Amino acid sequence: MRSTTRRSWARDIALLFGGIAGFGLIGSGIACQKTETAATPPPAAAPTPPPPAPAAKPPLRIAYSDWPGWTAFEIAIQKGWFKEAGVDVKFDWFEYAPSMEAFAAGKVDAVMVTVGDALVTGAPGARSVGIIATDYSNGNDMIVARPGIKDLKGLKGKKVGLEIGLVEHLLLLKGLEKAGLKETDVKLVNVPTHQTAQTLASKDVDAIGAWQPNAGQALKAVAGSKPVLTSADLPGLIYDLVSVSPKSLSTRRDDWIKVVKVWNRTVAFVTDPANKAEAVKIMAGRAGVPPEEYAKFLPGTRFLTPQEALARFDKKEGLTTLYGSGLVADAFNVANKVYAKPQPVAEYLDGSLLREALGAAQAAAQ
């Protein structure tokens, strides 16, 4: 449009000057005659069109699965807190292992995993960055043995069904170490977590490794069975994260900070005794478990306040930090040939978004 206007304006000017020259010639042959010709103004330039509206951003896609620390997000979903925060998020429900596969395939922007399993997914190339530490397991991860087996030492020479290379495998190994046993003292059978209860009931194995509600289903399915090891025996061994792809984090950082803020609101709701009944009802509905049964799982999940979570991002060794716990998981993964080379654990963790979110909240409160 601008080029056409400029061409029209130049043509008018040329005609105008041509007319003036012709008038001079005619005027020389006509005595005492004067004619005044008014110049034609150029047409007004067309207004600049407004810039096109920015394309709507696609929703952030997050894979989550059946763990109390993650089903708590259902509260924010149902209450519309993400919309209030101005961020479009789509949550995709999976079994645990398939959720990691979806992330590795690039089908989602983020996945909820343990620190150790983030390393498992990342070693082959699907790297992620943990930006939210939702909780640590405080009893909900269990090794459940059939009747007659009283403790871990009773598993010697027995079959244990669990997902080899994932979090229950690590729990079992660390427990065996404390009991003075080696991994070779038991026979591992690879069993998807959501099938552990029926596998124990079938008597194909002598014990299983699972987390709630699967562990509870195993206890219920086999009368007289009992947990011979739980994550409460090794607090901090299993931290749970929301882990984001580096690309999504770099391009949508502001949106991810909003997600962090929504989680901070969610954990405050869950841990408020006044909200317990409502929180349990919503979480149980997502998991497909009766509320009265799901309520039993909450003590085994140690939800972290935002301030507690931020402290867990410190780069210190030991199970009191995500980094230290990650080092333990990394050593386990390499020793068990889950992957070949140690992972740069610190690069899988970023507490800066939580720090920014807390800073904004503190500034708003002043």
Side-chain angles (χ1 to χ4, degrees):
M1 186 66 179
R2 287 180 178 179
S3 61
T4 301
T5 302
R6 290 183 63 185
R7 284 198 300 270
S8 300
W9 185 71
R11 184 178 62 250
D12 292 339
I13 293 298
L15 291 173
L16 173 62
F17 278 98
I20 293 174
F23 175 77
L25 292 174
I26 296 171
S28 63
I30 302 176
C32 302
Q33 183 173 342
K34 183 178 180 181
T35 303
E36 184 174 349
T37 304
T40 303
T48 303
K57 293 184 290 187
L60 299 174
R61 298 193 65 171
I62 303 176
Y64 71 140
S65 53
D66 195 356
W67 170 255
W70 301 333
T71 55
F73 274 98
E74 190 69 19
I75 295 167
I77 295 169
Q78 292 193 18
K79 289 184 174 293
W81 289 346
F82 289 100
K83 185 176 181 179
E84 286 183 26
V87 58
D88 188 7
V89 182
K90 183 180 186 302
F91 283 79
D92 295 317
W93 183 255
F94 291 90
E95 295 294 344
Y96 184 55
S99 74
M100 293 189 291
E101 293 167 2
F103 178 79
K107 296 179 180 179
V108 294
D109 299 291
V111 62
M112 298 188 196
V113 287
T114 68
V115 173
D117 291 341
L119 303 177
V120 172
T121 307
R127 293 285 289 273
S128 64
V129 182
I131 63 170
I132 299 175
T134 57
D135 64 275
Y136 66 81
S137 180
N138 195 40
N140 276 346
D141 288 83
M142 301 180 184
I143 305 299
V144 178
R146 63 172 173 76
I149 299 176
K150 298 179 180 180
D151 52 31
L152 279 174
K153 291 184 177 179
L155 290 178
K156 188 171 183 178
K158 301 293 194 299
K159 295 180 180 180
V160 182
L162 46 72
E163 289 194 71
I164 294 175
L166 296 186
V167 61
E168 305 308 295
H169 188 181
L170 172 59
L171 175 65
L172 175 65
L173 180 60
K174 304 308 287 187
L176 291 174
E177 288 178 4
K178 288 185 67 175
L181 298 174
K182 303 184 295 295
E183 185 174 9
T184 53
D185 289 324
V186 300
K187 182 178 181 180
L188 297 182
V189 179
N190 195 44
V191 178
T193 300
H194 65 283
Q195 294 178 11
T196 48
Q198 64 201 62
T199 302
L200 185 64
S202 71
K203 300 183 180 180
D204 288 339
V205 298
D206 302 290
I208 56 94
W211 56 83
Q212 296 286 23
N214 301 285
Q217 292 167 358
L219 290 167
K220 188 175 180 180
V222 181
S225 60
K226 61 176 291 187
V228 293
L229 175 70
T230 80
S231 51
D233 299 313
L234 295 161
L237 180 66
I238 306 171
Y239 283 101
D240 301 303
L241 302 173
V242 176
S243 288
V244 184
S245 75
K247 179 180 179 181
S248 182
L249 183 56
S250 66
T251 59
R252 304 281 297 274
R253 181 182 176 85
D254 289 346
D255 284 333
W256 284 113
I257 290 176
K258 293 175 183 178
V259 172
V260 172
K261 291 178 180 178
V262 171
W263 170 252
N264 291 347
R265 183 178 180 181
T266 302
V267 74
F269 184 91
V270 171
T271 54
D272 185 342
N275 302 324
K276 182 178 179 180
E278 183 182 1
V280 167
K281 182 179 179 181
I282 293 172
M283 295 163 67
R286 172 64 275 186
V289 177
E292 60 274 12
E293 183 177 339
Y294 206 84
K296 301 174 185 177
F297 305 155
L298 294 191
T301 303
R302 175 61 166 79
F303 286 95
L304 296 169
T305 68
Q307 293 75 17
E308 290 173 334
L310 187 60
R312 296 312 197 276
F313 278 98
D314 289 346
K315 192 177 178 181
K316 297 178 181 178
E317 295 188 9
L319 298 182
T320 59
T321 68
L322 301 169
Y323 175 76
S325 183
L327 291 178
V328 172
D330 187 53
F332 160 81
N333 291 335
V334 173
N336 286 273
K337 297 180 173 56
V338 178
Y339 47 77
K341 297 180 180 180
Q343 291 295 292
V345 176
E347 295 179 13
Y348 283 79
L349 304 166
D350 186 355
S352 66
L353 285 81
L354 174 56
R355 189 175 294 107
E356 289 183 40
L358 285 174
Q362 291 169 356
Q366 293 175 351

